[in-house]
Amino acid sequence: MDDSLNLAGRAAVVTGAGAGLGRAEALALADAGAAVVVNDMGAAAHDVVDEIKAAGGQAVAVTGDVSDWSLGDRLVSTAVENFGSFDILVNNAGILRDKMIFNLSESDWDDVIRVHLKGHAATSRAAATYWRGESKKAGGPVFGRVINTSSEAFLFGSAGQPNYSAAKAGITALTLSTSQGLSRYGVRANAICPRARTAMTEATFAEATTTGLDPLAPERVGTLVRYLASPASDEITGQVFVVYGKMVALMAAPQVENRFDAAGDEFSAAELDQQLTSYFSGRGQYETYSAYSIAELEKPALALGE
């Protein structure tokens, strides 16, 4: 294995790793040589630990809800106590409570924001505290990687997922802040927007293909996570990737489309009407801040027989 892709001697935490994407990510990191702290709510975390150990790897389970602020500290300390270091954080844990905005209950909103956004924040805060301390002890940068799980739902503004879309937008902003705040300590933070067939998404996607690796197999996402966790990714931070099928797409930052200036010191409503109304006249339904152009990626990405 190329040394720049080798994770031997590194320790990783993967949340929501008892099944689906998290499991695939934990197995991919272990395959690259990392010791893995496997987090999930129940016994499935222990099952994944057994899988990793059966393949010759190192792993330990920590059960608990990521939205419990103290769990972040426990995950980091478990990595350090069991494996001697903590180097990689993969935030994956999440839930769905899909509703249109007019059917959304308070608990639908609170539960999704709590698990996704607060869960990412709790672990990121614990990781940041650890790496900052280690950097001060070392007198320079240390090795640290954060891979957060965002979603195309935030890029599109998914109509049936106002809670999930908002949480994922927040996670993207959290990733950018983490990247900016921790870069001086050697930490790299990126977000992925994966499509994968899991128990949580089985109602969303069509049935799997019967030949070859499913285009939406979680293992495809695990490979990108494995790479972003490695020394090879040292110059990649503050980025958002869409990943599925045989494709990894790098998202561009939002751009200023146009600038409107008042003739004098401030706008009047009439002047705003004069400039903006004509500019937006006849504008298409999908010509909004939403990144609907990303749908154009789908066909080439899933045409795996080409």
Side-chain angles (χ1 to χ4, degrees):
M1 186 190 300
D2 186 327
D3 284 345
S4 68
L5 297 172
N6 195 333
L7 296 178
R10 310 287 188 189
V13 166
V14 184
T15 69
L21 270 177
R23 171 183 170 275
E25 292 161 349
L27 293 176
L29 293 173
D31 185 63
V36 185
V37 177
V38 178
N39 161 255
D40 214 303
M41 289 286 288
H46 297 279
D47 296 337
V48 175
V49 167
D50 291 342
E51 278 191 82
I52 291 172
K53 288 183 174 180
Q58 294 178 279
V60 63
V62 173
T63 57
D65 184 344
V66 290
S67 67
D68 176 354
W69 198 255
S70 66
L71 182 65
D73 290 320
R74 187 153 63 95
L75 291 169
V76 171
S77 63
T78 297
V80 175
E81 290 165 8
N82 284 269
F83 307 123
S85 69
F86 165 66
D87 309 281
I88 300 155
L89 171 63
V90 181
N91 280 313
N92 169 76
I95 60 171
L96 291 176
R97 298 288 186 270
D98 291 355
K99 300 281 180 64
M100 296 293 286
I101 187 67
F102 41 76
N103 287 327
L104 192 68
S105 70
E106 183 176 7
S107 63
D108 292 332
W109 174 267
D110 287 347
D111 290 347
V112 169
I113 297 297
R114 175 178 55 80
V115 175
H116 286 274
L117 186 51
K118 185 181 177 184
H120 274 62
T123 55
S124 295
R125 195 277 315 163
T129 301
Y130 173 79
W131 284 321
R132 180 171 178 263
E134 290 299 295
S135 178
K136 286 186 173 183
K137 283 193 278 186
V142 296
F143 184 93
R145 296 289 187 269
V146 178
I147 299 107
N148 287 334
T149 306
S150 186
S151 170
E152 289 173 273
F154 111 84
L155 293 167
F156 286 106
S158 180
Q161 298 179 305
N163 45 5
Y164 183 76
S165 299
K168 293 306 188 182
I171 285 167
T172 302
L174 173 66
T175 306
L176 298 178
S177 181
T178 302
S179 172
Q180 291 284 345
L182 299 185
S183 62
R184 73 183 74 176
Y185 305 117
V187 178
R188 308 293 180 252
N190 295 286
I192 61 171
C193 299
R195 288 191 194 182
R197 193 185 314 281
T198 67
M200 196 168 81
T201 64
E202 61 186 354
T204 304
F205 301 118
E207 290 185 9
T209 54
T210 55
T211 58
L213 184 64
D214 183 359
L216 297 173
E219 289 77 11
R220 296 180 182 275
V221 179
T223 302
L224 176 60
V225 168
R226 173 180 178 163
Y227 167 73
L228 290 175
S230 74
S233 70
D234 195 56
E235 295 189 58
I236 304 174
T237 193
Q239 305 298 334
V240 177
F241 296 93
V242 176
V243 52
Y244 59 92
K246 62 179 182 180
M247 178 206 76
V248 174
L250 173 64
M251 296 303 299
Q255 302 292 315
V256 176
E257 178 182 328
N258 201 359
R259 174 174 164 167
F260 306 93
D261 288 294
D265 291 337
E266 61 180 303
F267 269 112
S268 67
E271 192 178 5
L272 286 170
D273 174 38
Q274 181 183 32
Q275 291 196 45
L276 271 68
T277 302
S278 59
Y279 184 83
F280 284 96
S281 178
R283 197 173 180 92
Q285 177 185 356
Y286 298 113
E287 293 180 78
T288 70
Y289 193 79
S290 297
Y292 281 99
S293 62
I294 200 172
E296 297 172 7
L297 295 170
E298 184 168 352
K299 289 185 179 179
L302 297 182
L304 299 176
E306 293 179 357

